Amino acid sequence: MEKNSLSEEIEKLVDLYGKERSSLLPILQAVEKKHKYISDFAQQEIARVLDIHPVEVFGVITFYSFLTHQPKGRNVVRLCQTITCDILGKKSVADAIQRELGIKFGETTKDKKITLEYANCLGMCDQGPAMLVNDQVYSHLTPEKAVEILSKIE
Amino acid sequence: MENKMKREGAVIFSEYQRGDAIKKAVSIGREDILFELKESKLRGRGGAGFPTSTKWMLTAAAKADKKYVICNADEGEPGTFKDRVLLLEYPELVFDGMVVGGYTIGAKEGIVYLRGEYEYMLKSLEDYLEEMRKDNLLGKNILGKQGFDFDIIIRLGSGAYVCGEETALIESLEGHRGEARNRPPFPVNTGLNGKPTTVNNVETFASVAHIVVKGGEWYRTQGTDKSTGSKLFSVSGDCKKPGVYELPWGTTVTELLNIVQAENTKAVQVGGASGVCIPKSQFDRKLGYEDLGTGGSIMIFNENRDMLHVLKNFMEFFVEESCGQCTPCRVGNTKLLEGVEMIERGEYTFGYINKLKELGETMKIASKCGLGQSSPNSFISILENFKEEIFNNGKGGKH
Ligand code: SF4
Ligand code: FES
C-alpha cells in the first residue's frame, strides 16, 4: 500500500519535472524533503520511470551531502563548522546542542525528531555562528539561543 | 537573519531601476552590448577572472539551435556571502543581467543554480521572477521586441562545494554527480546538454546590468587599469563591522581593515579557503588581479587566533569537499591534513613538511579542476607566513 503511494508520488514528480535525466536532482530533492531520505524502493522507482540504472541514482545520492539513502529525523539541523563560525563560538554552541538533545553530531534523537549534522560554510559568516534548521537559517547563535530554537521545532 | 538594508557604492550599489538594462539592451542591440562589455574590461567575479566580453562573444558566435545562460549562485567559498546580499537585496541587477545575456548570445533559457543552503530564498526569488513576467521583462517578445524570448528558472544544488566549478555545475544540472569535466571542450561551445552555454557569477551579471546602462567607459573610471570597476568584498572574522562592502579594485588590505574596524589583526585570508593567507608585513598589498586577486572573501584573524587551527579547519573542508575524481586532489588533501595534524602533535620533521609543500605545488598543476588546483594555497601560505608561530613557539611545535 505504502509502496503504491510512493510510486504514485514519484510519477507525479516526473510529470512535474519531466522525464529527462536532468530532472533527477529535483525529483530526488522533492523525495528527500518529504520523506527525509530516499529509500531503496524510491530509488528503484525513480530509476525505472527515468529509464536509468538504479546504481546511477544511488551514485548521485551519495555524491550530494543533502541527499541521503538512510532515514533521518523529521528535522535536520546543520551547524556550520567552517572557520569564521568556528572562531565566533561554534564549539560552545555545538556542546550545548549535544548536551540538550543527548546525541552527538551525525546522530538522530530517539523520537526521530532531530538529526544533528555539521555543514560547511552557510554563507552567513558575517553573522556567525550560524545553523540551518531544515531550510531555515539562524545566525548570531549563542548556546542559549540555539537550544531555544531547537526546543521550538516540532 | 538581519533585515535588508540600503547600501551605497560607486557601481553595484549605485542607482538602478528594474528593467533599465533590458530597455537599454533592446535599444542598442547586441553588437553594442558586446562593445560596451569589452570597453568595461569586466572580468568574471567568481574568482577566476576570465574576461566576460570574450565569454559572451564566443557563445554569441557559436551556432546552435539552443543556448543557455547560467547564473552560478552556488556560492560555497568559505567567507563569501555577497551573492546572498545580491540575490536578496538586488535581484533586479542579477536577473536583468541574465536577460541581457540571453539577448546578447541568443539564448532563450536562463537557469539560476542556487546553492541548496540558500533554499530559504527560493520563494522570494520566484515571486520576483513572476513580477518580471507580468512586466514583460521575461517571457515572449520581451518589451515588445519581436523574437526576444527569454525566461529564467531556478534550480537548487544539494550541498556540494565543487558544483561551483562551472563544468561540475553543468553535470549537476544534467542530473549527474557534480564532477568536473575535462576541458576542452569549453562550455561556450559544449555546455549544458551539449549546447553553447555561458556561465557567469551572480556579481558578474549584476555588474553587466550597470555597464549596459551606463557604459563601459564609465565602469572603467573605477578601479585600476587591469582590474576595472568595483568589487564586492564579503568581510568576516575579527572586526567590528563584518558585512558586504563595495570597494574599488586597488584598495589595500590596510584600507579595508580600517573600514571594517579591525584591530590587532594578525592575518588576513584573501579569497577564502582556496585563497592565500597574508601576514601583517603584507597588508599594504592591493586587492586586484595584478596583486591579490579574489572572488571577494576576506577573513580576518586577530592576535589571539591560532593559525595552525585555522589551517586545519581549511584542510578539513577540502578533504570533505573534494569530489574524489582525481588522485592529486583526493589523496593530496588528505596528506596535507595529516601533515597539519602531525604538526599539531609535534610529530613532524621539516623534511616531511617541505615534501608536503612540494606535494601542494604538484596538486596545483596536476589536479583536474579549480578545487584541487587551489586547495594547497592556504597550506603553503600559512606554513610560510606564520612559521614563527607554528614552529618556533617554544613548545616544540605542539599546540
Ligand atoms: S581537483 Fe578535486 S574536486 Fe576537482 S575533479 Fe579533481 S578530485 Fe574532483
Ligand atoms: S563560516 Fe559559518 S557561515 Fe561561513
Side-chain angles (χ1 to χ4, degrees), chain B residues 148-224:
Chain B
F148 177 16
D149 304 342
F150 188 79
D151 212 326
I152 297 175
I153 59 162
I154 303 175
R155 288 279 305 266
L156 276 177
S158 257
Y161 168 76
V162 69
C163 288
E165 199 279 334
E166 62 177 9
T167 61
L169 186 155
I170 290 171
E171 284 290 309
S172 177
L173 279 177
E174 290 182 1
H176 296 107
R177 297 162 68 92
E179 289 171 341
R181 291 177 178 172
N182 282 322
R183 283 179 290 192
F186 292 92
V188 289
N189 294 310
T190 310
L192 183 62
N193 302 325
K195 305 291 179 190
T197 304
T198 171
V199 186
N200 286 114
N201 179 265
V202 174
E203 188 184 347
T204 311
F205 284 116
S207 307
V208 166
H210 282 294
I211 291 168
V212 169
V213 176
K214 297 168 192 143
E217 212 180 302
W218 164 83
Y219 189 77
R220 267 192 291 130
T221 57
Q222 291 286 313
T224 69

Side-chain angles (χ1 to χ4, degrees), chain B residues 125-160:
Chain B
L125 293 177
E126 279 180 339
D127 289 349
Y128 195 89
L129 291 174
E130 204 44 49
E131 279 176 42
M132 286 179 73
R133 283 182 200 112
K134 279 193 194 118
D135 290 352
N136 194 216
L137 294 169
L138 283 176
K140 292 218 173 309
N141 303 324
I142 292 173
L143 296 179
K145 178 102 180 166
Q146 282 301 315
F148 177 16
D149 304 342
F150 188 79
D151 212 326
I152 297 175
I153 59 162
I154 303 175
R155 288 279 305 266
L156 276 177
S158 257

Side-chain angles (χ1 to χ4, degrees), chain B residues 264-312:
Chain B
N264 302 322
T265 306
K266 171 164 74 179
V268 177
Q269 178 83 17
V270 181
S274 66
V276 294
C277 194
I278 59 168
K280 220 179 217 141
S281 59
Q282 295 181 25
F283 287 176
D284 55 351
R285 289 178 65 180
K286 286 187 165 64
L287 297 158
Y289 295 107
E290 47 274 79
D291 188 7
L292 288 169
T294 165
S297 165
I298 303 281
M299 296 191 272
I300 303 171
F301 303 107
N302 71 20
E303 295 292 350
N304 302 323
R305 305 299 174 192
D306 174 350
M307 294 314 290
L308 193 65
H309 177 78
V310 172
L311 175 57
K312 189 178 173 192

